[in-house]
């Protein structure tokens, strides 16, 4: 939502030709009619598929409720009408405004020395305008619920997305919140929601949560997929666990397990040249500092039980969730308005 990403991967023997093709694509994009027509058709086909995909419908509806009147509330793939009318001239205009050097962030991994790389980067990107012409985006302030929207779809199970405002990436509480999210719903079968909703009660096929610290508005979002007649009970259990964490925090055992996994698994993000480049790019985009790789695990280890209890109380507002449900839910709860 905040960045446009691209990558090129090439054999060292082919790097000069690959780098020159990348230069042409960025500085002199053609957007030929046949290519534009082909890609537009692919996107339109994807949008038509998404119209019948419960997870996507729930997500788009949730964004509209959480970010009313804000760019974050728009579907990131566009809409059928806007994509259908898009012409090569529109793409050229967009490229001329957003492809520039002032917002450019680059990471490179591979068999290339600094001097050669410096010359290559000047060659590839030097022809771009010095400054972009980006539209200013205001900070969003996602409203708190309770808000519940039901979207009818003739499917055997319902999908629900729930959440509310979150914690920004540069907030001092983000790392404790990151550990907390692993405990509540980010840890797969180790998470509390999976244990309470699926393992103990058999209510859901899947349940998870995540933090999305967007540049202009952070949110906490969870998802659950369950039988139509188990939606209300599943959401009740989820809200109960959020409420319990907000008041009591996690146990010492949960915290220790989460920190052990999150620190131990960090090395797996650096398994290949591609994954290393991706991590280095993210560190730059988030402005985390050149030493973040060295200090990241220590930041997680420093999270104490009192820290995470305080952040749980700050983050989770179980009675103020924004929730979208797609399917044919048996939904007896008060306040459930059909969409």
């Amino acid at each position: 939502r905040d960045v446009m990403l691209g990558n090129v991967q090439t054999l060292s023997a082919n790097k000069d030709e690959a780098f020159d093709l990348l230069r042409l694509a960025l500085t002199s994009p053609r957007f030929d009619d046949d290519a534009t027509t082909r890609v537009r058709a692919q996107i339109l086909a994807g949008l038509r598929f998404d119209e019948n995909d419960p997870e996507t419908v729930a997500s788009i509806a949730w964004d509209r409720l959480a970010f009313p009147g804000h760019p974050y509330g728009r579907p990131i793939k566009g809409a059928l009408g806007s994509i259908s009318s898009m012409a090569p001239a529109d793409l050229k205009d967009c490229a001329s405004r957003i492809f520039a050097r002032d917002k450019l962030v680059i990471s490179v991994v591979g068999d290339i020395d600094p001097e050669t790389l410096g010359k290559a980067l000047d060659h590839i990107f030097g022809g771009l305008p010095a400054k972009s012409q980006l539209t200013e985006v205001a900070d969003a302030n996602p409203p708190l619920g309770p808000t519940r929207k039901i979207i009818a779809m003739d499917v055997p199970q319902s999908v629900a997305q729930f959440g509310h405002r979150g914690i920004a990436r540069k907030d001092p509480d983000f790392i404790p919140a990151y550990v907390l999210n692993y405990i509540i719903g980010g840890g797969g079968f180790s998470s509390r929601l999976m244990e309470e909703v699926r393992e103990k009660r058999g209510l859901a096929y899947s349940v998870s949560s995540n933090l999305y610290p967007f540049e202009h508005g952070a949110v906490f979002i969870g998802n659950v997929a369950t039988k139509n007649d188990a939606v209300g009970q599943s959401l009740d259990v989820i809200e109960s666990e959020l409420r319990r964490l907000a008041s009591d925090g996690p146990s010492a055992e949960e915290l220790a397990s989460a920190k052990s996994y999150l620190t131990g698994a960090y090395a797996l993000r650096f398994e290949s040249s591609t994954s290393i480049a991706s991590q280095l790019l993210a560190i730059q985009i988030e402005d985390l500092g050149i030493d973040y790789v060295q200090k990241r695990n220590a930041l997680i280890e420093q999270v104490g039980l009192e820290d995470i209890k305080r952040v749980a109380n700050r983050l989770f507002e179980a009675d103020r969730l924004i929730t979208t449900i797609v399917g044919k839910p048996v939904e007896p709860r008060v306040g459930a308005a059909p969409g």
Side-chain angles (χ1 to χ4, degrees):
R1 293 184 179 278
D2 295 317
V3 296
M4 180 174 182
L5 300 171
N7 67 81
V8 61
Q9 186 174 9
T10 180
L11 295 173
S12 296
N14 299 331
K15 68 178 183 299
D16 291 340
E17 183 177 3
F19 289 169
D20 198 51
L21 290 170
L22 177 60
R23 176 187 64 82
L24 288 170
L26 291 172
T27 60
S28 303
R30 295 183 348 199
F31 300 114
D32 294 343
D33 286 335
D34 59 339
T36 302
T37 299
R38 182 183 71 253
V39 173
R40 182 170 54 219
Q42 292 171 349
I43 295 173
L44 290 171
L47 290 173
R48 293 187 182 99
F49 176 85
D50 288 345
E51 287 181 335
N52 297 300
D53 179 63
E55 289 85 359
T56 302
V57 172
S59 177
I60 291 174
W62 194 92
D63 292 339
R64 290 196 184 108
L65 292 174
F67 299 107
H70 192 274
Y72 287 164
R74 303 173 191 161
I76 60 175
K77 294 181 183 179
L80 290 172
S82 62
I83 298 299
S84 297
S85 63
M86 199 169 292
D90 300 311
L91 303 179
K92 289 180 180 179
D93 175 68
C94 184
S96 71
R97 290 185 288 106
I98 67 174
F99 290 172
R101 300 196 304 273
D102 60 329
K103 301 293 185 179
L104 184 63
V105 176
I106 306 167
S107 67
V108 182
V109 177
D111 178 25
I112 190 168
D113 62 82
E115 182 179 359
T116 303
L117 175 60
K119 293 177 180 178
L121 295 181
D122 286 343
H123 173 68
I124 297 168
F125 302 105
L128 292 173
K131 290 189 176 182
S132 56
Q133 302 174 46
L134 298 177
T135 302
E136 289 292 328
V137 177
D139 288 340
N141 186 25
L144 289 168
T147 303
R148 182 166 294 188
K149 181 179 180 66
I150 299 173
I151 301 168
M153 185 178 288
D154 190 12
V155 288
Q157 70 174 32
S158 291
V159 170
Q161 180 162 308
F162 57 89
H164 51 47
R165 64 187 61 167
I167 292 179
R169 185 62 183 83
K170 290 191 175 182
D171 190 300
D173 282 339
F174 179 80
I175 291 296
Y178 175 68
V179 177
L180 179 65
N181 177 70
Y182 178 88
I183 293 171
I184 185 64
F189 283 95
S190 300
S191 72
R192 188 181 285 196
L193 289 183
M194 187 69 83
E195 173 70 16
E196 295 295 331
V197 177
R198 173 172 169 155
E199 298 302 312
K200 286 186 178 180
R201 296 172 175 85
L203 293 173
Y205 304 102
S206 63
V207 58
S208 62
S209 68
N210 212 334
L211 295 173
Y212 294 94
F214 300 133
E215 182 178 352
H216 299 287
V219 287
F220 164 77
I221 295 176
N223 299 274
V224 62
T226 184
K227 296 178 294 184
N228 285 320
D229 61 0
V231 175
Q233 190 179 355
S234 296
L235 291 172
D236 282 344
V237 174
I238 289 167
E239 291 179 11
S240 175
E241 288 307 309
L242 292 175
R243 200 174 290 113
R244 188 154 68 98
L245 268 176
S247 62
D248 302 335
S251 68
E253 292 76 16
E254 286 177 311
L255 176 57
S257 177
K259 293 198 298 186
S260 176
Y261 176 84
L262 292 172
T263 55
Y266 188 51
L268 300 178
R269 300 187 186 184
F270 301 88
E271 289 185 309
S272 66
S273 296
T274 301
S275 61
I276 293 171
S278 177
Q279 287 297 308
L280 297 180
L281 190 71
I283 288 169
Q284 293 182 82
I285 290 172
E286 299 289 352
D287 193 26
L288 300 178
I290 197 171
D291 60 343
Y292 183 74
V293 173
Q294 284 76 35
K295 70 181 184 181
R296 183 263 192 188
N297 277 0
L299 293 172
I300 291 176
E301 291 288 5
Q302 291 168 11
V303 176
L305 202 55
E306 290 306 313
D307 298 316
I308 207 161
K309 286 182 177 180
R310 172 179 51 79
V311 174
N313 183 261
R314 172 189 171 186
L315 176 61
F316 295 140
E317 299 192 61
D319 299 325
R320 308 296 302 276
L321 292 174
I322 298 170
T323 306
T324 54
I325 305 168
V326 178
K328 297 173 65 178
V330 177
E331 185 56 46
R333 298 180 57 184
V334 174

